């Protein structure tokens, strides 16, 4: 044996182990070790491990500790004794370097083993690295600095290996052209940046890796006409799948892409142009802090380096403006520093987010980097420990702060790794159970919980002391009702009393919810600016919620809204500035969650409430159309028109509901407004669709189109949630059927495609959301018929083939958009169809049978379902429609009216007794009004079991009843009268 060989053997992992965690259950540990020893004895390639397991010494002690404390590590050891032997008998640094190299080169397996082989190999290397790092860490072979560096290097290699694999796969599918197949990253046009602890080279043992993906649209490795954004997003998704999908072989890393710009709306892969535009316009201080640690690790590294260089003015501001200072102060308040030596409960303590935890040390460093790094380049490093030293060298902290915070950081990171080694879970919370905590203390090398707690508390107090000297204490809030304090983790008795006085029935839940906002538990409130504004507006916001019909339900609705919003800073700023809007929004949250959801999606709609025009409502379709056209303007692109229309309709729908809620509009007027908004949207989009369509396909000789609105739209009674019942008619010169564009089409195909585009313009969700649901089933032959109907064919069908229910539907049909000539012809033709003389007995018999079938299939016993319930709106509508179909031949004035108008006209011409006409008109108006309130207040079905009591109470009040129980009794009596009339007439 040579001297060099002896030196290498002396450096093996087993030779260098100097310590081991303390065993808690010696019997279990010994039994597990015996099982491992038996397996090793059966493996010739693991023979070198046998004496290490049988002879007393540090390695055997370490294996006993693993057998006792970590199911995850023990499973790795037991499942592959040869791997364990290899790790024990080689130099750990060399072994680690080999793992890292192989992991980065896994893509080369594609040619021989395919994607499954790469998938499996990535996980096998992760298992080997996890066991190696744990053995080196627990055995004292590596310091915590070595451990976090090794974990970060392996994560770099994993991402690089996955990126290379995904690039090679896309190239193999013909989606990309790679300049060098042997080096897929070269010229690939995309870079993966690591952020957080990974970017800093300080990754913990079992952690998510925070990645952001940027691509250069000027780099053109994309094949054909494929969209680079789509291809690179697919690449990012494949990388995530390669790394985080769990299989029988485990996983590699959990991947988090949410630190990219505006994750709520931007794709997973962001172009560098979009990134620049975002950071320069709306980039926030928390994003500056995140980018401090950003590091290019895979793909085209040059793109990442140029991006970070170009973002230097954003990250490192030379002059720190007052707004940013206030922003950082708000960030400080979110980690509740407490001066002095408050006790820290060890059981269940979160060593990352809790008092004196890892996050406080990181925040201590990062905020000073943000403040001073623009002027001091030495403070622009990524690693926490390095920057503590740099802050000390630059004179911003003294030697004691540097030494104590560094020592605390290393201690807490070590405890964090022990927690995560137990089950390979991303956790930072200590066990709450006494027995589990005792075991964990021994896993950390302490004989008792008391000894562990003493050291943990001492370290946390040091962190708190330095942190509190740098930052002010958490902000205290106060209102006229009393103090409101949401710092710390326990409830303040005075705060609970204040909340109770404000009207909250469950103040403990309220306090926990608000505390959660300040802790950043809702992503919408994680930005520095949002947190700053939240701190300032919370007292006034709670006061507004306390004055609503149901403060607790309103708070729950607001918390849910925050949970759905990508960012809440705009809403919070608006609420901060206007007391009237706070009160209005609180009312919406308590009694109209549907409107509150619109505000959550687009906070700027609240501006309409403080506009002087709010009190001057408009319901006329022509005026609403002019407003919408003025707001739409002339968009540069058709897609902009679609987005603009969705924004405008959402705003005007909200405005209509808010006016109804404020008593400015009656429910009937709101129905007219909703209908006018929908009609204008159809008209404007039809024009836009035609313009776009004609550019490619030209026009058809004599071609005309008209859109019929039916159902509630036709009757001008849309609700906030109604879909649009439409029929599209067209006509053309029969002697010249082909369009005259560059891509000529037969007239039937032409209008079919035109209609499909119109429906898509109305229904397809864009980045601004959904516009309307459209129902075309009332067209001839329903879902089996063509989407557009030639005018003559429509009239022939209605005369010769249509069922009675189709003629009943026509009683509420009107033209809402299209060419004037065809619209007039359609209006006349429908009137003529409805005026035809029919067998009254047959009409009534069929109508009664249809009503019975609806009741059988959909039920009619829900007293709050005013449409389907017996004696409800369907009964009333059927009565009105049969009156039209049986009476219009002699009384054409019945045509074109809503149900109430039909009853009044029927009374005037002697078709209905006055008392019955009055009963039906009153019921129709009452049911419609209540249904308008139901649909405005709540999205989806009106399930009374899930409706907050405040909403039921508000509906009852608007209906003139003292309670919902009284309203139900009144509605039942009205429905009974309607049902009696229905039975006698039909």
């Amino acid at each position: 044996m040579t001297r060099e060989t002896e030196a290498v053997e002396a450096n093996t992992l087993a030779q260098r182990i100097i310590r081991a965690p303390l065993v808690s259950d010696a019997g279990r540990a010994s039994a597990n070790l015996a099982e491992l020893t038996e397996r090793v004895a059966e493996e010739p390639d693991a023979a070198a491990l046998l004496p290490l397991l049988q002879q007393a010494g540090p390695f055997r002690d370490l294996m006993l500790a693993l057998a006792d404390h970590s199911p995850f590590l023990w499973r790795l050891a037991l499942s592959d004794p040869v791997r364990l032997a290899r790790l024990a008998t080689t130099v750990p640094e060399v072994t680690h370097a080999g793992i890292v190299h192989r992991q980065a080169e896994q893509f080369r397996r594609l040619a021989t083993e395919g994607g499954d082989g790469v998938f499996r190999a990535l996980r096998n290397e992760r298992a080997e690295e996890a066991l190696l790092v744990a053995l080196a860490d627990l055995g004292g072979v590596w310091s915590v600095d070595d451990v976090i560096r090794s974990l970060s290097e392996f994560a770099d290699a994993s991402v690089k290996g996955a990126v290379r694999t995904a690039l090679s796969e896309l190239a193999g599918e013909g989606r990309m052209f790679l300049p060098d197949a042997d080096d897929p990253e070269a010229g690939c046009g995309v870079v993966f940046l690591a952020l957080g602890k990974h970017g800093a080279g300080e990754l913990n043992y079992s952690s998510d890796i925070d990645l952001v993906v940027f691509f250069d649209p000027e780099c053109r490795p994309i094949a054909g006409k494929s969209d680079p954004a789509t291809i690179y997003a697919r690449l990012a998704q494949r990388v995530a799948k390669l790394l985080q999908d769990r299989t029988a072989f485990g996983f590699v890393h959990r991947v988090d892409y949410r630190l990219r710009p505006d994750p709520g709306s931007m794709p997973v892969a962001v172009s560098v142009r979009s990134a620049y535009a975002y950071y320069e316009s709306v980039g926030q201080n928390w994003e500056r802090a995140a980018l401090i640690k950003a590091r290019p690790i895979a793909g085209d590294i040059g793109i990442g380096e140029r991006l970070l260089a170009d973002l230097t003015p954003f990250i490192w501001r030379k002059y720190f403006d007052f707004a940013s200072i206030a922003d950082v102060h708000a960030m400080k308040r979110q980690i509740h520093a407490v001066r002095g030596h408050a006790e820290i409960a060890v059981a269940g303590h979160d060593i990352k987010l809790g008092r004196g935890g890892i996050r406080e040390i990181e925040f201590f460093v990062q905020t000073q980097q943000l403040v001073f790094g623009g002027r001091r380049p030495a403070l622009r490093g990524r690693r926490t420990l390095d920057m503590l030293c740099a802050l000390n060298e630059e004179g911003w902290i003294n030697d004691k702060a540097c030494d104590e915070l560094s020592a605390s950081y290393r201690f807490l990171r070590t405890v964090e790794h022990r927690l995560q080694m137990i089950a390979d879970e991303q956790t930072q919370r200590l066990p709450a159970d006494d027995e589990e905590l005792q075991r964990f203390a021994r896993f950390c090398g302490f004989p008792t919980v008391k000894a562990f707690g003493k050291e943990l508390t001492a370290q946390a107090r040091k962190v708190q002391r330095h942190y509190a000297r740098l930052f002010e204490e958490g902000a205290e809030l106060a209102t006229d009702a009393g103090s409101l304090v949401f710092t710390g983790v326990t409830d303040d008795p005075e705060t609970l009393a204040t909340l109770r006085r404000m009207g909250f029935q469950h103040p403990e839940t309220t306090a926990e919810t608000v505390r959660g906002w300040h802790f950043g538990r809702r992503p919408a409130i994680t930005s520095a600016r949002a947190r700053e504004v939240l701190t300032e507006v919370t007292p006034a916001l709670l006061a507004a919620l306390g004055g609503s019909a149901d403060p607790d339900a309103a708070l729950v609705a607001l918390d849910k809204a925050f949970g759905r919003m990508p960012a809440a800073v705009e809403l919070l700023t608006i609420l901060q500035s206007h007391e009237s809007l706070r009160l209005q929004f609180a009312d919406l949250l308590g009694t109209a969650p549907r409107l509150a959801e619109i505000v959550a999606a687009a906070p700027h709609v609240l501006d309409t409430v403080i506009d002087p025009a709010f009190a001057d409502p408009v319901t006329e379709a022509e005026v609403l159309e002019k407003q919408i056209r003025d707001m739409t303007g002339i968009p540069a692109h058709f897609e902009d028109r679609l987005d603009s229309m969705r924004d405008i309709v959402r705003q005007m729908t909200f405005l209509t509901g808010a006016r109804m809620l404020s008593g400015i509009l009656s429910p009937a007027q709101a129905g007219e407004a909703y209908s006018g908004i929908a009609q204008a949207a159809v008209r404007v989009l039809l024009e836009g669709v035609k313009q776009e369509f004609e550019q490619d396909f030209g026009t058809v000789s004599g071609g005309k189109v008209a859109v019929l609105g039916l159902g509630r739209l036709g009757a001008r009674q849309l609700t906030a949630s109604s879909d649009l019942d439409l029929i599209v008619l067209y006509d053309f010169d029969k002697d010249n059927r082909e369009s005259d564009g560059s891509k000529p089409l037969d007239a039937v195909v032409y209008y079919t495609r035109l209609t499909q585009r119109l429906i898509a313009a109305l229904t397809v969700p864009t980045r601004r959301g959904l516009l309307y649901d459209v129902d075309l089933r009332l067209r001839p032959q329903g879902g089996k018929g063509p989407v557009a109907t030639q005018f003559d064919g429509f009239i022939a069908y209605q005369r010769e083939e249509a069922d009675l229910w189709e003629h009943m539907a026509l009683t509420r049909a009107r033209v809402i958009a299209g060419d004037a000539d065809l619209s007039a012809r359609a209006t006349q033709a429908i009137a003529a169809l409805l005026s035809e003389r029919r067998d009254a007995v047959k009409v009534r018999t069929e109508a009664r049978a249809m009503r019975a079938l609806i009741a059988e299939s959909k039920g009619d016993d829900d007293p709050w379902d005013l449409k389907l319930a017996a004696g409800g709106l369907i009964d009333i509508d059927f009565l009105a429609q049969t009156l039209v179909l049986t009476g219009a031949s002699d009384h054409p004035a019945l045509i074109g009216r809503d149900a109430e108008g039909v009853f009044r006209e029927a009374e005037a011409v002697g078709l209905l007794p006055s008392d019955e006409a009055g009963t039906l008109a009153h019921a129709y108006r009452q049911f419609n009004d209540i249904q308008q309130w139901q649909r405005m207040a709540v999205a989806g079905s009106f399930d009374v079991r899930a409706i907050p009591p405040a909403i039921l109470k508000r509906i009852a009040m608007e209906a003139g009843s003292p309670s919902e129980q009284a309203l139900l009794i009144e509605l039942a009596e009205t429905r009974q009268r309607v049902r009696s009339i229905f039975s006698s007439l039909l």
Side-chain angles (χ1 to χ4, degrees):
M1 181 180 294
T2 66
R3 183 174 302 173
E4 289 78 6
T5 303
E6 291 176 352
V8 169
E9 286 192 354
N11 281 317
T12 62
L13 177 66
Q15 292 287 341
R16 289 164 58 183
I17 291 173
I18 58 173
R19 69 181 183 216
L22 303 175
V23 170
S24 290
D25 187 339
R28 180 173 68 174
S30 297
N32 286 341
L33 185 64
E35 181 184 3
L36 175 62
T37 303
E38 289 178 7
R39 293 200 179 188
V40 169
E42 297 170 357
E43 288 282 358
D45 292 339
L49 191 60
L50 202 56
L52 295 174
L53 296 176
Q54 293 173 333
Q55 299 169 8
F59 184 82
R60 186 176 188 277
D61 293 342
L62 178 57
M63 296 310 298
L64 284 168
L66 258 62
D68 185 30
H69 292 294
S70 173
F72 168 65
L73 293 173
W74 191 247
R75 186 169 63 252
L76 292 181
L78 196 63
S79 65
D80 192 346
V82 175
R83 175 175 59 202
L84 178 62
R86 183 171 62 251
L87 295 177
T89 58
T90 53
V91 179
E93 292 79 9
V94 174
T95 305
H96 167 72
I99 293 171
V100 167
H101 174 75
R102 291 192 299 273
Q103 191 76 335
E105 298 291 321
Q106 297 290 11
F107 77 101
R108 300 188 188 282
R109 295 176 180 268
L110 277 173
T112 55
E113 301 178 34
D116 290 343
V118 176
F119 204 79
R120 187 166 51 252
L122 288 168
R123 283 150 181 75
N124 288 338
E125 295 296 348
R126 194 268 172 167
E128 186 152 345
E129 175 74 6
L131 186 54
L132 169 68
V133 170
L135 293 171
D137 185 0
L138 294 167
V141 178
W142 286 350
S143 67
V144 67
D145 302 57
D146 297 326
V147 169
I148 59 180
R149 183 179 60 252
S150 298
L151 291 168
S152 302
E153 289 171 352
F154 177 74
D156 289 356
S158 296
V159 176
K160 183 177 284 289
V163 170
R164 288 173 165 180
T165 300
L167 286 168
S168 299
E169 287 178 331
L170 287 170
E173 295 169 6
R175 299 179 185 274
M176 296 185 71
F177 295 120
L178 299 178
D180 184 355
D182 198 50
D183 183 9
E185 295 170 290
C188 65
V190 64
V191 65
F192 284 66
L193 300 186
L195 280 74
K197 286 185 172 67
H198 183 194
E202 301 170 329
L203 198 61
N204 41 306
Y205 186 78
S206 184
S207 172
D208 290 357
I209 54 174
D210 294 306
L211 302 177
V212 287
V213 185
F214 296 110
F215 67 90
D216 182 358
E218 302 303 322
C219 185
R220 290 291 177 182
I222 307 300
K225 296 182 179 180
S226 298
D227 176 33
T230 302
I231 297 300
Y232 287 127
R234 185 170 297 168
L235 171 72
Q237 290 159 356
R238 288 197 183 188
V239 168
K241 181 179 179 65
L242 281 166
L243 294 177
Q244 69 183 10
D245 277 13
R246 287 182 178 271
T247 70
F249 302 96
F251 70 103
V252 188
H253 300 285
R254 294 173 290 266
V255 176
D256 193 336
Y257 287 129
R258 289 176 296 177
L259 291 182
R260 68 186 184 275
D262 194 6
S265 61
M266 285 199 182
V268 177
V270 180
S271 75
V272 290
R273 282 199 299 261
S274 297
Y276 293 141
Y278 173 83
Y279 289 124
E280 289 174 1
S281 59
V282 295
Q284 300 175 56
N285 278 326
W286 73 264
E287 291 171 302
R288 294 176 57 215
L291 287 172
I292 287 175
K293 297 180 182 292
R295 181 169 57 90
I297 60 168
D300 193 329
I301 302 299
I303 292 175
E305 291 173 342
R306 289 191 295 274
L307 173 66
L308 292 177
D310 290 339
L311 289 177
T312 296
F314 166 69
I315 304 171
W316 307 110
R317 295 177 184 171
K318 187 174 182 181
Y319 302 104
F320 207 63
D321 58 87
F322 287 105
S324 294
I325 290 174
D327 207 2
V328 169
H329 276 264
M331 292 168 70
K332 298 171 190 175
R333 289 196 287 264
Q334 301 318 301
I335 299 178
H336 303 284
V338 179
R339 298 183 190 274
H341 300 281
E343 288 298 322
I344 297 173
V346 176
H349 183 67
D350 191 317
I351 60 167
K352 176 183 178 182
L353 300 178
R355 293 180 176 185
I358 296 167
R359 177 61 59 82
E360 289 190 2
I361 302 174
E362 294 173 336
F363 205 71
F364 178 96
V365 172
Q366 282 183 287
T367 50
Q368 293 185 87
Q369 286 184 276
L370 285 177
V371 175
F372 308 120
R375 297 185 295 272
R376 300 294 184 99
L379 298 179
R380 298 181 185 179
R382 299 184 178 101
R383 297 186 72 247
T384 302
L385 292 171
D386 290 349
M387 289 301 98
L388 281 170
C389 294
L391 285 168
N392 177 232
E393 292 169 1
E394 292 278 322
W396 299 109
I397 62 174
N398 59 30
D399 292 347
K400 184 177 182 182
C402 177
D403 293 344
E404 289 188 347
L405 287 174
S406 297
S408 296
Y409 183 78
R410 290 186 170 98
F411 173 81
L412 292 169
R413 291 302 306 273
T414 299
V415 173
E416 178 184 41
H417 291 166
R418 298 296 178 274
L419 281 169
Q420 296 176 354
M421 285 176 185
I422 294 172
D424 194 23
E425 295 175 343
Q426 185 184 11
T427 180
Q428 286 88 14
R429 189 171 293 279
L430 297 175
D433 178 77
D434 290 341
E435 183 178 347
E436 289 183 17
L437 186 59
Q438 175 65 50
R439 289 177 54 79
F440 182 72
R442 294 183 69 79
F443 191 35
C444 291
F446 293 89
T448 63
V449 170
K450 183 177 181 180
F452 172 66
K454 181 179 180 181
E455 180 64 20
L456 176 69
T457 303
Q459 296 292 349
R461 286 175 177 172
K462 291 176 185 177
V463 174
Q464 283 185 304
R465 184 169 62 251
H466 292 296
Y467 188 82
R469 285 173 182 168
L470 181 65
F471 297 140
E472 76 275 18
E473 295 182 19
E476 289 194 0
L477 310 176
T479 70
D480 293 338
S483 66
L484 291 171
V485 180
F486 297 103
T487 57
V489 294
T490 57
D491 290 330
D492 171 54
E494 291 186 21
T495 297
L496 297 182
T498 300
L499 292 171
R500 195 171 284 108
R501 285 193 295 273
M502 283 180 160
F504 293 94
Q505 298 299 309
H506 305 285
E508 294 85 0
T509 303
T510 302
E512 176 61 24
T513 300
V514 176
R515 202 158 43 236
W517 297 344
H518 286 277
F519 277 132
R521 292 174 189 162
R522 292 300 189 190
I525 322 175
T526 54
S527 76
R529 177 60 182 161
R531 290 183 175 190
E532 178 192 0
V533 179
L534 176 67
T535 299
E536 296 168 2
V537 79
T538 294
L541 185 57
L542 288 173
L545 295 174
S548 67
D550 187 342
D552 296 274
L555 181 74
V556 169
L558 178 58
D559 187 48
K560 289 181 179 178
F562 283 153
R564 289 189 297 270
M565 298 172 71
V569 66
E570 182 183 2
L571 173 61
L572 291 170
T573 303
I574 292 172
L575 297 176
Q576 179 189 30
S577 305
H578 300 283
E579 180 181 6
S580 62
L581 289 187
R582 285 198 299 274
L583 297 174
Q584 181 82 25
F585 187 52
D587 193 22
L588 296 182
L589 289 165
T591 57
R594 182 190 188 90
L595 295 185
E597 289 179 5
I598 295 176
V599 175
H604 64 83
V605 299
L606 274 176
D607 293 339
T608 60
V609 178
I610 56 174
D611 191 302
F614 180 72
D616 186 18
V618 173
T619 60
E620 296 83 2
E622 295 75 14
V623 180
L624 288 167
E625 181 178 340
K626 183 179 184 305
Q627 290 181 352
I628 287 177
R629 289 186 183 277
D630 290 343
M631 295 167 72
T632 305
I634 305 176
H637 303 288
F638 184 66
E639 290 74 14
D640 296 334
R641 185 189 299 268
L642 297 183
D643 285 339
S644 175
M645 186 58 67
R646 280 150 176 77
D647 284 341
I648 293 167
V649 168
R650 178 167 52 195
Q651 177 176 317
M652 297 189 76
T653 299
F654 169 81
L655 184 60
T656 300
R659 282 171 168 161
M660 191 173 112
L661 193 68
S662 302
I664 296 172
L665 285 177
S666 69
Q669 290 173 317
E672 292 178 24
Y674 289 133
S675 302
I677 294 166
Q679 175 175 312
V682 174
R683 290 169 70 92
V684 172
L685 288 177
L686 176 60
E687 290 178 10
V689 166
K690 286 179 67 178
Q691 291 172 5
E692 286 283 310
F693 197 74
E694 287 171 1
Q695 289 180 9
D696 286 333
F697 305 106
T699 60
V700 176
S701 177
K704 298 179 178 63
V705 66
V707 181
L708 302 183
L710 297 93
R712 284 190 164 272
L713 176 58
R716 296 181 176 86
Q717 296 167 339
L718 278 188
T719 69
S721 63
S722 297
D723 56 12
L724 306 185
D725 291 306
L726 303 179
I727 293 177
V728 179
L729 305 176
Y730 66 90
D731 205 1
F732 58 93
D733 184 352
K734 306 303 187 296
D735 295 329
N736 188 0
R737 297 177 59 95
E738 196 170 79
S739 65
D740 58 8
S742 59
K743 303 174 183 177
L745 295 174
D746 179 78
V748 173
V749 177
Y750 183 96
Y751 284 107
T752 297
R753 292 189 184 177
L754 178 65
T755 300
Q756 289 169 338
R757 291 202 182 183
L758 172 62
I759 302 309
L762 289 166
T763 60
V764 171
T766 73
R767 57 183 177 175
R768 303 295 175 84
L770 183 69
L771 188 57
Y772 288 107
D773 287 322
V774 171
D775 192 338
L776 297 176
R777 288 176 295 178
L778 294 179
R779 69 188 189 269
Q781 298 176 347
K784 298 178 181 179
V787 293
T789 307
Q790 198 274 329
F791 177 70
D792 292 340
F794 174 76
I795 302 303
Y797 173 85
Q798 293 293 341
R799 284 183 175 149
E800 299 167 11
E801 299 181 48
D803 293 324
L804 179 68
W805 69 265
E806 295 175 280
H807 288 168
M808 292 171 71
L810 277 186
T811 65
R812 298 201 293 178
R814 65 185 176 91
V815 178
I816 62 169
D819 297 286
D821 174 64
L822 184 57
S823 297
R825 290 163 58 199
T827 301
Q828 294 170 2
I830 291 171
L833 285 166
L834 296 178
S835 299
E836 291 181 358
R837 193 169 298 278
R838 292 173 174 81
D839 183 336
V841 174
K842 182 179 179 182
V843 170
R844 292 169 187 148
T845 301
E846 288 191 31
R848 185 172 62 248
M850 278 189 285
R851 180 64 183 100
L853 183 61
I854 292 174
E856 181 181 349
S857 62
K858 296 187 177 182
D860 64 352
D861 57 353
D862 182 353
W864 284 105
D865 191 334
L866 299 179
K867 177 182 177 182
L868 292 174
L873 285 169
I874 286 186
D875 284 18
I876 297 173
D877 282 332
F878 272 36
L879 284 169
Q881 290 160 12
T882 54
L883 281 169
V884 174
L885 293 179
T886 58
S889 57
D890 296 323
H891 308 287
L894 290 168
I895 297 171
R897 298 175 181 271
D898 65 7
E900 183 178 356
V902 169
F903 298 140
R904 293 304 183 190
E905 182 64 21
E907 176 190 6
V909 299
L911 295 179
L912 266 184
S914 179
D915 59 336
E916 292 185 354
T919 296
L920 292 173
H922 166 74
Y924 183 74
R925 187 167 54 252
Q926 182 185 37
F927 294 170
N928 259 317
D929 286 357
I930 293 173
Q931 190 174 63
Q932 282 286 0
W933 278 101
Q934 289 176 327
R935 301 290 173 83
M936 184 272 290
V938 179
S941 62
F942 196 82
D943 183 355
V944 70
R945 295 166 297 182
I947 302 298
I951 293 178
L952 298 176
K953 185 176 181 180
R954 178 64 177 267
I955 290 174
M957 180 189 71
E958 295 293 341
S961 292
S963 68
E964 58 267 29
Q965 290 81 9
L967 176 60
L968 282 175
I969 293 171
E970 181 183 346
L971 291 175
E973 292 173 350
T974 303
R975 288 201 309 273
Q976 188 174 8
R977 290 194 295 270
V978 170
R979 193 65 175 176
S980 175
I981 297 171
F982 181 90
S983 299
S984 66
L985 293 181
L986 297 187

